[in-house]
Amino acid sequence: MAEAINEAIRHEMRRDPNIILLGQDIGAYGGTFGVYKGLLDEFGPERVRDGPLCEAATAGFGVGLAISGMPTLVEIEFMDFMTLASDAMCNQAAKMRYFFGGQVRVPMIIRTPIVNRLGLGAQHSQSLEAWLMHVPGLRVIIPSNAFDAKGLMIAAIRDGNPTVFIEHVRLYPNKAPVEEADEPIPLGKLRVSREGKDATIATYSGMVKPCLDAAANLAREGIECEVLDLRTLAPLDCEGICASVRKTGRLVVAHESVKTAGAGAEIAQTAMEGAFDYLQAPILRVASKDLPIPTGKLQDVVFPSAVDVEEAVRKVME
Amino acid sequence: MKSLPAAWQAGALSAVKNIIMKTELDLNTLLYWYEQMWTIRYFEDNAIGSFRKGLFTGSTHPCIGQEAIAVGAGAALRETDQVLATYRGHGHAIAKKLDVKRLMAELLCKETGCSGGRGGSMHLCDVSKGFWGTNAVVAAHIPIAGGVALSNKLKKNGRVTAVFFGDGSTCEGAFFETLNMAVLWKVPLVLVCENNGFAISVPTHMAIPIENIAQRAQGFGLPGVTVDGNDPVPVYNAVSEAADRARRGEGPTLVECKTTRWERHSAISAGKYENEEEAMKWKKVDPIPRFTKALLEKGATEFQLKELQERAKKVNDEAMEFALKSEYPKPETVGDFVFA
Ligand SMILES: Cc1ncc(C[n+]2csc(CCOP(=O)(O)OP(=O)(O)O)c2C)c(N)n1
């Protein structure tokens, strides 16, 4: 996925010479997780601007460049540090076009990875996508594989609106065949990763793989799950979710962020509003425990697993 | 970074010369520092070794090559003073006399660890020792230290707070905002910047357009001094002076200690920037051989030094054994400590 995102950015930077990259460690180092490899060599230090460690100002500069017609990608090294960039993103970028009566565009993307289950502890392991979904004016994109990441990154750049592009450290090695054609993937359209008639599992990012594993296991028991990879959380594909629930009558939502006020609550309520008459069982959520994330083996207690997803599906099947 | 001492010899060092001259330190004190430097070095060797053996995951950020700062500054503080540091703060914890056994147990995420095995390498803490912890969000602890220092002032308890951070941290808003507030309210705070030439892959000159970080103090109205961070004596002198000033109610001081980072940012990160020459630079200016030489000149014997080094190793061997033997926290305790 790192490679696919790199290709997407490279492709768009070749197409549009105004695109600027800002962040720390994005130059010779190639990004903390290698997403920027080779970009400095190809585009030079004017466009690939490595520099000081200052997320608030970096994101603020990003807004300034963006409104001046220079689409900007800002790197936040770990999603946990979104807190430092959040004023620029949530109070400025997300609202500026609106409060200036449509006079400006804010083509700014923050790229940031979820870096969990590595044992880095409470300030380096969080999934904060629900915070961002709560801000009108932001796009929240969260792919689960290399192919989608490439198409969605291209789409996000061309869309030209304030976007948080959430990657996942565990998915970076993912090298799903990326087609030659650099086709954008429409924002707000989920992917049906596995078709099934008995229960729907709605998920995204790092939980897609465990959910597919769970679905494969459940199939051996004769339970056919439909796995939805949401891909974008804002806009959310409400129609896609409801269509699947109308078909299966059952829904489990799974994510790695904490349960309370997580994306799962929004997704579940979307199904309630759009497919209530079809539901045959209460909707269940599989998520992390509502706790800060410890280091060491203790972290395994906090995060959800494929087994948790299987159990939830069996429960809605009862 | 430019060739090491030359980079700051010119202006800044002379500014602290008079401080250096002021204090005559007795040999026993210096020998204790020597032992502490080795205690930190062995601790970090064990940290890296344990990480590579897979005894813990995540990462670990050694302060190898920067021990003189932790030790010199630590010696300038009182037991009742408070210290806050970054993920590269194992040395500060040791200098603040935290139990080495519990520190190593924390790295291995054991329940006997100083943070109950929940924090790991980046979140060491022992409030009973005045060590208010190490932090993994760059610069976030600097304003927190300001608040701790302000509490000292409000309580009139005569304590000083010292906060340690890297050069990279001095680019964050939290750093600049703290300078302003700390001067405004004259809080008893000593800000110690460990300028080790890098923030992960970014060399200091690519992030900071001035020669000495201490110059940053000027516009905020506090004294800023640059010292040789690879020698504990000037660090001790500068921090002593800053702590005295803070205790007199005159407010914060910024002390920049020039040093050289260990071969890489952490036990995992690696990259193109880490060419062999750059990576091994720290060895050329390693504070331990340098201090050894100074001690021998001052009359210490080879035998004395060897004994102290061995003692430092033994403490760490025992700590390792303790950490290995300790248990992991029980899964059912995962929810402990969220709320008071
Ligand atoms: C707010 C924030 N941004 C980014 C990071 C990732 N990061 C961890 S350490 C580091 C470099 C810090 O450099 P410096 O302050 O010079 O300290 P050093 O590591 O050299 O001791 C970075 C960028 C972080 N932990 N926190």
Side-chain angles (χ1 to χ4, degrees):
Chain A
M1 190 159 99
E3 214 173 83
I5 296 167
N6 178 290
E7 281 172 28
I9 296 172
R10 188 187 299 269
H11 184 267
E12 291 304 289
M13 285 182 81
R14 283 179 186 158
R15 183 186 58 78
D16 180 354
N18 285 317
I19 296 175
I20 302 288
L21 309 183
L22 296 183
Q24 292 92 43
D25 301 303
I26 68 171
Y29 193 37
T32 323
F33 299 105
V35 170
Y36 294 91
K37 274 210 181 94
L39 298 182
L40 175 68
D41 290 342
E42 179 167 350
F43 301 105
E46 287 292 321
R47 295 183 68 194
V48 181
R49 305 189 74 91
D50 200 350
L53 188 49
C54 46
E55 290 79 1
T58 306
F61 269 63
V63 177
L65 283 163
I67 60 175
S68 311
M70 307 195 82
T72 302
L73 273 81
V74 171
E75 145 110 358
I76 297 294
E77 294 189 313
F78 284 67
M79 183 166 211
D80 308 66
F81 314 143
M82 273 305 293
T83 50
L84 282 101
S86 61
D87 190 70
M89 204 55 189
C90 301
N91 283 333
Q92 311 301 330
K95 300 180 170 72
M96 193 170 275
R97 179 172 173 79
Y98 186 78
F99 62 55
F100 287 155
Q103 292 179 72
V104 298
R105 287 174 71 93
V106 194
M108 158 153 161
I109 298 175
I110 289 187
R111 275 193 47 251
T112 192
I114 293 167
V115 187
N116 64 22
R117 305 194 201 223
L118 291 186
L120 285 160
Q123 295 175 333
H124 277 75
S125 306
Q126 299 171 86
S127 305
L128 302 174
E129 62 277 8
W131 289 6
L132 299 159
M133 287 172 76
H134 200 64
V135 180
L138 287 189
R139 306 256 196 247
V140 181
I141 303 181
I142 189 158
S144 76
N145 60 71
F147 179 85
D148 287 351
K150 185 170 183 182
L152 289 167
M153 178 53 86
I154 292 172
I157 294 172
R158 297 191 187 167
D159 177 58
N161 282 298
T163 299
V164 185
F165 196 92
I166 304 168
E167 300 161 17
H168 196 303
V169 74
R170 219 169 40 247
L171 304 173
Y172 280 139
N174 182 306
K175 283 199 205 315
V178 175
E179 279 169 27
E180 282 298 306
D182 296 290
E183 282 304 315
I185 293 173
L187 304 181
K189 287 270 171 272
L190 59 76
R191 166 198 279 281
V192 179
S193 293
R194 181 188 173 110
E195 288 194 53
K197 58 174 180 25
D198 299 326
T200 299
I201 306 173
T203 186
Y204 55 88
S205 188
M207 272 314 275
V208 172
K209 171 82 174 38
C211 287
L212 287 170
D213 292 345
N217 277 341
L218 289 161
R220 278 179 226 126
E221 298 168 22
I223 303 172
E224 291 299 337
C225 294
E226 181 142 298
V227 179
L228 308 181
D229 177 352
L230 298 172
R231 304 198 292 194
T232 62
L233 292 175
L236 188 64
D237 188 353
C238 299
E239 191 34 52
I241 295 166
C242 292
S244 176
V245 174
R246 279 185 217 116
K247 181 167 101 179
T248 63
R250 294 177 169 90
L251 176 62
V252 168
V253 189
H255 53 60
E256 286 182 293
S257 53
V258 299
K259 186 171 183 180
T260 297
E266 185 59 35
I267 295 160
Q269 184 60 20
T270 296
M272 288 289 282
E273 288 171 13
F276 178 75
D277 292 339
Y278 298 81
L279 281 169
Q280 297 174 41
I283 301 167
L284 288 184
R285 285 176 289 171
V286 175
S288 282
K289 293 200 167 56
D290 288 332
L291 294 173
I293 295 155
T295 49
K297 292 191 197 316
L298 210 50
Q299 66 174 342
D300 300 339
V301 186
V302 175
F303 291 111
S305 66
V307 175
D308 296 329
V309 177
E310 285 174 38
E311 277 168 13
V313 171
R314 282 189 204 106
K315 224 170 182 170
V316 297
M317 292 305 298
E318 273 167 16
Chain B
M1 239 173 79
K2 299 194 183 131
S3 73
L4 252 150
W8 71 93
Q9 246 165 14
L13 251 197
S14 63
V16 290
K17 233 184 208 134
N18 50 348
I19 312 175
I20 297 174
M21 295 302 159
K22 207 176 72 182
T23 335
E24 234 352 279
L25 292 156
D26 68 87
L27 185 60
N28 280 339
T29 306
L30 298 178
L31 288 173
Y32 176 62
W33 295 4
Y34 179 80
E35 182 182 348
Q36 273 196 321
M37 283 164 74
W38 272 115
T39 306
I40 299 171
R41 177 67 56 94
Y42 283 123
F43 184 87
E44 297 296 47
D45 282 346
N46 283 347
I48 299 162
S50 305
F51 180 78
R52 292 191 175 150
K53 275 187 226 152
L55 295 176
F56 66 98
T57 59
S59 189
T60 193
H61 305 75
C63 67
I64 290 178
Q66 302 181 207
E67 296 93 340
I69 302 168
V71 170
L77 299 169
R78 295 182 186 165
E79 214 158 280
T80 47
D81 291 340
Q82 304 103 346
V83 168
L84 287 84
T86 69
Y87 47 87
R88 205 181 300 287
H90 305 168
H92 303 294
I94 291 170
K96 197 79 178 101
K97 304 202 176 70
L98 268 71
D99 182 350
V100 179
K101 288 191 172 114
R102 297 192 58 207
L103 288 172
M104 189 44 79
E106 187 58 40
L107 261 62
L108 267 50
C109 306
K110 299 295 182 78
E111 83 184 328
T112 54
C114 60
S115 308
R118 276 123 175 106
S121 178
M122 299 200 282
H123 298 295
L124 307 175
C125 183
D126 188 343
V127 170
S128 73
K129 298 261 167 69
F131 192 71
W132 288 81
T134 61
N135 207 297
V137 179
V138 169
H141 65 311
I142 304 175
I144 297 172
V148 173
L150 176 60
S151 84
N152 292 334
K153 180 174 170 160
L154 296 174
K155 293 180 192 167
K156 299 191 175 60
N157 62 15
R159 292 181 186 180
V160 165
T161 309
V163 60
F164 296 85
F165 47 87
D167 42 281
S169 318
T170 73
C171 302
E172 293 277 9
F175 168 75
F176 293 106
E177 293 172 29
T178 304
L179 289 189
N180 187 57
M181 282 176 82
V183 175
L184 182 70
W185 292 338
K186 285 209 169 94
V187 305
L189 181 66
V190 181
L191 299 120
V192 185
C193 174
E194 306 192 26
N195 183 348
N196 65 9
F198 274 106
I200 307 191
S201 75
V202 183
T204 309
H205 68 82
M206 270 187 65
I208 298 173
I210 53 174
E211 183 73 33
N212 296 309
I213 285 169
Q215 288 169 252
R216 293 208 190 290
Q218 215 171 30
F220 288 92
L222 75 161
V225 6
T226 303
V227 297
D228 178 349
N230 278 25
D231 180 348
V233 178
V235 175
Y236 169 82
N237 285 319
V239 175
S240 297
E241 177 76 16
D244 285 351
R245 197 175 163 265
R247 261 184 259 280
R248 288 195 303 268
E250 292 167 29
T253 302
L254 174 61
V255 179
E256 174 191 14
C257 305
K258 301 259 194 192
T259 183
T260 299
R261 194 180 65 187
W262 179 68
E263 58 199 70
R264 55 185 68 162
H265 171 68
S266 75
I268 38 172
S269 80
K272 204 161 134 187
Y273 74 101
E274 284 169 343
N275 61 58
E276 191 67 17
E277 197 194 327
E278 196 65 66
M280 289 308 149
K281 213 162 112 184
W282 73 270
K283 283 204 168 158
K284 294 197 195 125
V285 290
D286 187 344
I288 294 187
R290 201 174 140 185
F291 197 47
T292 307
K293 197 161 156 259
L295 287 172
L296 291 170
E297 278 165 15
K298 265 195 165 270
T301 66
E302 300 262 7
F303 179 76
Q304 253 177 327
L305 297 184
K306 196 156 178 280
E307 221 175 30
L308 293 172
Q309 183 181 343
E310 274 165 11
R311 203 156 74 184
K313 180 162 189 311
K314 189 157 168 271
V315 165
N316 275 291
D317 288 346
E318 285 166 9
M320 204 61 233
E321 207 183 303
F322 171 82
L324 285 169
K325 273 197 193 135
S326 295
E327 301 288 332
Y328 288 106
K330 305 207 171 21
E332 61 272 23
T333 66
V334 69
D336 291 359
F337 314 127
V338 180
F339 292 107

